[in-house]
């Protein structure tokens, strides 16, 4: 009989394998769009600011939990693809804000479709009932408070 720790180790390995598989599938669906997964995350994050003051590069770096230089590289690529633009802050010209362009909005729609296609591919083996159960389990895991350790 296996112990709880053996079961937890097995579950951890299964989750890691599934995560890697999901990333591979999503990446394959994104290749035709010319967007990397990291650029996709940044584009989605910028879109969350729509209707508000556009974010600064430092805001994006903090939210993505990366160094500011990494955001600069991502913004450079997205700006070259006309998905975002750098705009001076009207209140402080030294501050640069990142705005979504119409091309960026269209790319986001195509990215959402690609993510949906990837999810359908990965969920294809599951029945509707299994998907519902999985959704509940994923919500329980996503909504669980993070443990703090020192």
């Amino acid at each position: 009989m296996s112990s709880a720790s053996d079961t937890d180790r097995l579950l951890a390995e299964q989750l890691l394998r599934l995560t890697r598989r999901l990333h591979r599938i999503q990446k394959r669906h994104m290749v035709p769009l010319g967007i990397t997964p990291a650029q996709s995350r940044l584009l989605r994050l910028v879109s969350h600011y729509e209707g508000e003051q556009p974010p600064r590069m430092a805001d994006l770096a903090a939210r993505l939990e990366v160094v500011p230089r990494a955001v600069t590289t991502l913004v450079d690529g997205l700006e070259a693809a006309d998905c975002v633009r750098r705009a001076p802050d009207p209140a402080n010209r030294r501050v640069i804000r990142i705005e979504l362009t119409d091309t960026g909005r269209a790319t986001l729609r195509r990215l959402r479709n690609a993510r949906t296609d990837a999810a359908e591919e990965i969920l294809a083996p599951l029945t509707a009932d299994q998907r519902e159960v999985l959704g509940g389990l994923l919500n329980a895991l996503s909504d669980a408070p993070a443990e703090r350790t020192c």
Side-chain angles (χ1 to χ4, degrees):
M1 183 172 235
S2 70
S3 69
S5 63
D6 288 341
T7 301
D8 289 349
R9 274 194 289 274
L10 177 61
L11 285 170
E13 182 58 35
Q14 289 172 316
L15 285 170
L16 289 172
R17 278 194 345 253
L18 178 60
T19 299
R20 286 191 298 265
R21 182 168 181 246
L22 182 58
H23 284 186
R24 277 192 313 272
I25 290 170
Q26 282 186 335
K27 196 173 185 178
R28 182 168 31 91
H29 283 269
M30 280 193 261
V31 164
L33 304 178
I35 298 289
T36 67
Q39 289 173 326
S40 169
R41 283 189 298 278
L42 187 120
L43 203 54
R44 286 193 320 268
L45 180 55
V46 172
S47 76
H48 289 282
Y49 286 86
E50 289 269 285
E52 301 173 20
Q53 185 166 324
R56 299 171 304 146
M57 300 269 255
D59 299 329
L60 296 170
R63 291 284 301 275
L64 292 171
E65 299 178 350
V66 298
V67 296
R69 178 70 191 127
V71 170
T72 300
T73 302
L74 293 172
V75 168
D76 287 347
L78 289 170
E79 190 173 41
D82 192 35
C83 290
V84 298
R85 72 175 146 259
R86 289 173 166 93
D89 184 313
N92 182 349
R93 292 181 47 173
R94 290 176 295 169
V95 174
I96 300 296
R97 303 257 174 205
I98 306 304
E99 299 176 340
L100 206 55
T101 64
D102 289 340
T103 301
R105 286 181 199 87
T107 300
L108 270 172
R109 284 190 295 276
R110 292 185 2 242
L111 279 169
R112 284 185 194 106
N113 292 338
R115 288 176 57 157
T116 299
D117 292 346
E120 287 174 4
E121 183 177 333
I122 207 155
L123 296 172
L126 301 180
T127 66
D129 288 344
Q130 289 172 323
R131 289 176 189 209
E132 192 170 325
V133 169
L134 177 61
L137 294 170
L138 291 173
N139 281 338
L141 293 173
S142 298
D143 296 341
E147 288 186 29
R148 297 196 184 270
T149 58
C150 293

